[in-house]
Amino acid sequence: MANLTDRAAYLRGLAEGMGLDKEKNEHKLLLEMLGLMDEMAQKVADLDADVGELEEYVEDLDSDLSDMEEVLFGDDDDECDCDEEDGCSCDDQEELSFDCPHCGKTVLVKAADIDYDESPVCEYCGKPFFVDVEEDGRDE
């Protein structure tokens, strides 16, 4: 962006070298346009610097998120000891923990036992963990 500010300064220097008179209408117009170009070039340079800072910030956030994902989820390839030719069942054996919103008890459910068309049911109170939502947005 220095190129824009440099070019605006060059034009300003040319105008000063020409000895433009601020009192003449034609010269007044040119000088105002040059002033506007100076301001615009400076604003663009400021915006470019801000975008550069934001890019660095987003890259840092992305890196931090990747680190958190690694800590939370680990490397999935290392966890499975199954023979891939026979099919992997490790994910099916994983137990998921649900806190019942009705009775507050914690229930462990195997991933393979979950019917994704229906909400898991609490083994203590018999109520579903998740409330069904009708298409119009109201709870059933």
Side-chain angles (χ1 to χ4, degrees):
M1 286 304 128
N3 191 26
L4 284 178
T5 54
D6 291 346
R7 291 174 67 191
Y10 173 75
L11 291 174
R12 174 65 71 185
L14 282 177
E16 288 174 5
M18 292 173 64
L20 297 178
D21 184 8
K22 294 179 184 178
E23 299 301 319
K24 292 185 180 180
N25 286 338
E26 302 86 24
H27 295 182
K28 189 175 189 179
L29 175 64
L30 286 174
L31 291 171
E32 286 297 319
M33 288 172 44
L34 287 171
L36 177 63
M37 286 193 315
D38 284 340
E39 288 179 34
M40 290 172 63
Q42 187 57 48
K43 283 286 186 189
V44 169
D46 292 345
L47 288 172
D48 188 50
D50 290 345
V51 167
E53 289 177 22
L54 286 173
E55 285 175 345
E56 287 180 32
Y57 184 71
V58 168
E59 287 174 7
D60 290 344
L61 283 176
D62 185 48
S63 175
D64 292 346
L65 179 61
S66 294
D67 293 345
M68 286 179 59
E69 287 174 341
E70 181 66 31
V71 168
L72 292 174
F73 304 113
D75 188 8
D76 291 338
D77 294 337
D78 294 341
E79 294 176 13
C80 182
D81 295 329
C82 295
D83 184 6
E84 290 183 26
E85 293 176 13
D86 296 335
C88 180
S89 62
C90 290
D91 290 338
D92 293 340
Q93 299 305 317
E94 182 180 355
E95 286 189 334
L96 304 172
S97 173
F98 293 99
D99 291 332
C100 179
H102 307 286
C103 69
K105 303 244 184 204
T106 300
V107 178
L108 296 176
V109 179
K110 286 187 179 179
D113 295 339
I114 294 178
D115 178 1
Y116 290 98
D117 293 329
E118 296 181 19
S119 174
V121 176
C122 176
E123 62 187 52
Y124 297 101
C125 69
K127 294 182 181 179
F129 291 113
F130 308 111
V131 178
D132 290 333
V133 177
E134 291 182 8
E135 286 187 24
D136 65 359
R138 295 179 299 174
D139 291 344
E140 288 184 355

